[in-house]
Every structure is written in structure tokens, then in C-alpha cells.
Amino acid sequence: MHGPVAGTVRAMLRLAPEAHRLLVAHCLDGLPEEACGLLAGPDVGAGAPDVTATRCLPTGNEAASTRVYTIPSRDLLRADRAADDEGLVLLGAFHSHTHTEAFPSPTDVRQAPDPTWRYVIVSLARPVPVVRSFRIVEGTVTEEPVVVG
Amino acid sequence: MPDVRLPTVLRTHTGGAAKVAVDGETVGELLAALEAQFPGLQGQLRNPDGTAHKFVNVYVDDDDVRYLDGLDTKVGPDAEVSILPAVAGG
């Protein structure tokens, strides 16, 4: 097996342990509805392959639904300001799938607002939550590994 | 002049600037001034009839303009106008 070619950067989302803990806890707390929120971290350039989310910023789900989510725009505003105050930028959004796999649904792909963002999905379909991360660029979904730590 | 904060997805049209100072007394005037200064923003913020795009949320300081006067909402010289995308899925 070959390692990465010297000079290339592997795509991945690093999640700080506290951000991971809060992300999963918020999704479990949201049951039976989908839960959602935002991720923030140091600015390493929009869409950089290797990013670290140091902060999880849970929000409400305006849709209050088991199948869809909407981040209230007021929560987005607050999260953007909170990130800015800490010298961080918003890197992406997360939400839970209560009964399905941690993979972007057609709705997720269609409504992804920012091609530079990471889209993290937490599946609660099985006893152990599964956390996966994706880039969604012009309708194309690419998975990247999630590294906690 | 009021400041307009833009979401990451629109910053490619402003040469990377996250915050731009533009002149205008209402939100509509600010958006028009933004579009004039950065033509790449045309069609991104407003529909052809001049109304705000459905997937764009506009705040003046802490207030969503849809609960104020929409694009006619007056903007003071020290106001911060924030443009936020709709973040949703299923």
C-alpha cells in the first residue's frame, strides 16, 4: 500500500474531542427529531482539504421534524458572531439522521448552501452513533475521514 | 457607512472580503450598491423583481428584515447588515 505522495494533503475533518462529544450529545438530545448545528475552527482557507473543527455550535431545528432540519437564521447569526469573537470561522454544518445512514440525502445535496463547507451527518439508526463527514460541491458528494482528537 | 457581512460562499465575488462598507439608507439600497461594486453578486441576493432571494436571510444588527420592512428597512450609518444563507436539509 502506498502512502500519500509527498506534498499532497489528505482530505480530512479533524474534530476536537469536546466538539465531538457535544455534537453527538446534541444529536441524541434532539431525538425523536433531527438535530443540527454548526462547526467552527481556525481559518486555514475556505475549502482547505485538512481542517480542524475545534468548536461545535448546536442550534435549534426550526423544522422540528424527524425528517428535515432548518437552522434558524438567528442561530446562524449568533454562531457566526461567536466564531468571529473567538477568532474562528464557520467550517460547516452537522445534522442527525434518526433512522437512516450517515450519508447525505437528496435533500441534503440539493440544499447544501456552501461548497467550501463540511457536511457532517450523525446516524442514530443503531445503538452506537456514527459520525461521517462529506464535501458537497455542485451536487457531487465526496466523503472524507473524521479524526477525533 | 454601514457594513455588510457576507457568507463565505459569496466572498469569491468580493475578492475574499468578508465585510464590505457600502452606502445606502435602506437594505435594498445597500444590496444594489453591493451588486454595483461587485457585479458577480448580481442575481445572488435579489430576485429579478428586486425582492430578497428566498434562501438569503438579511439581518440589520440583530433583527431579521422580514419582520421589519423587508428591503425597505432603514439602515443607520453604524449598522451591521449580515447576509446569511439558509442552512437546511433532511
Side-chain angles (χ1 to χ4, degrees):
Chain A
M1 230 162 90
H2 296 287
V5 175
T8 60
V9 180
R10 289 190 64 204
M12 70 172 67
L13 172 68
R14 298 177 199 267
L15 265 182
E18 181 53 31
H20 172 263
R21 190 197 69 78
L22 186 52
L23 184 145
V24 174
H26 182 61
C27 290
L28 288 168
D29 278 349
L31 286 171
E33 292 167 359
E34 288 199 354
C36 53
L38 297 152
L39 296 170
D43 188 358
V44 293
D50 183 337
V51 293
T52 304
T54 52
R55 290 272 270 132
C56 167
L57 301 164
T59 68
N61 174 3
E62 195 169 81
S65 157
T66 60
R67 283 176 297 161
V68 294
Y69 80 93
T70 300
I71 293 184
S73 59
R74 179 174 296 279
D75 288 1
L76 175 56
L77 180 68
R78 285 207 191 104
D80 199 31
R81 288 192 184 147
D84 205 36
D85 286 346
E86 295 178 35
L88 306 174
V89 292
L90 293 182
L91 300 172
F94 71 89
H95 72 283
S96 58
H97 282 176
T98 60
H99 289 90
T100 54
E101 294 308 309
F103 195 88
S105 65
T107 310
D108 291 332
V109 176
R110 200 170 53 243
Q111 297 185 359
D114 188 325
T116 66
W117 274 11
R118 285 16 216 209
Y119 295 93
V120 171
I121 303 182
V122 181
S123 172
L124 304 176
R126 285 182 292 278
V128 177
V130 173
V131 179
R132 291 165 71 179
S133 179
F134 305 87
R135 302 292 300 275
I136 304 176
V137 182
E138 289 175 8
T140 301
V141 175
T142 310
E143 183 162 14
E144 60 185 352
V146 176
V147 175
V148 180
Chain B
M1 278 203 289
D3 278 331
V4 180
R5 284 195 56 149
L6 292 147
T8 325
V9 63
L10 294 180
R11 293 177 197 170
T12 48
H13 302 294
T14 62
K19 199 153 53 159
V20 180
V22 269
D23 229 339
E25 290 183 354
T26 66
V27 170
E29 286 177 14
L30 290 185
L31 295 186
L34 258 183
E35 290 168 4
Q37 197 174 341
F38 304 105
L41 288 177
Q42 282 165 15
Q44 305 277 356
L45 304 172
R46 297 189 300 171
N47 300 313
D49 65 359
T51 54
H53 231 287
K54 194 167 80 153
F55 301 111
V56 168
N57 298 288
V58 184
Y59 275 72
V60 175
D61 296 323
D62 294 336
D63 295 313
D64 187 329
V65 303
R66 63 169 58 88
Y67 301 117
L68 302 173
D69 288 320
L71 296 190
D72 293 331
T73 304
K74 292 212 175 350
V75 183
D78 298 322
E80 180 172 86
V81 173
S82 302
I83 297 176
L84 305 164
V87 185

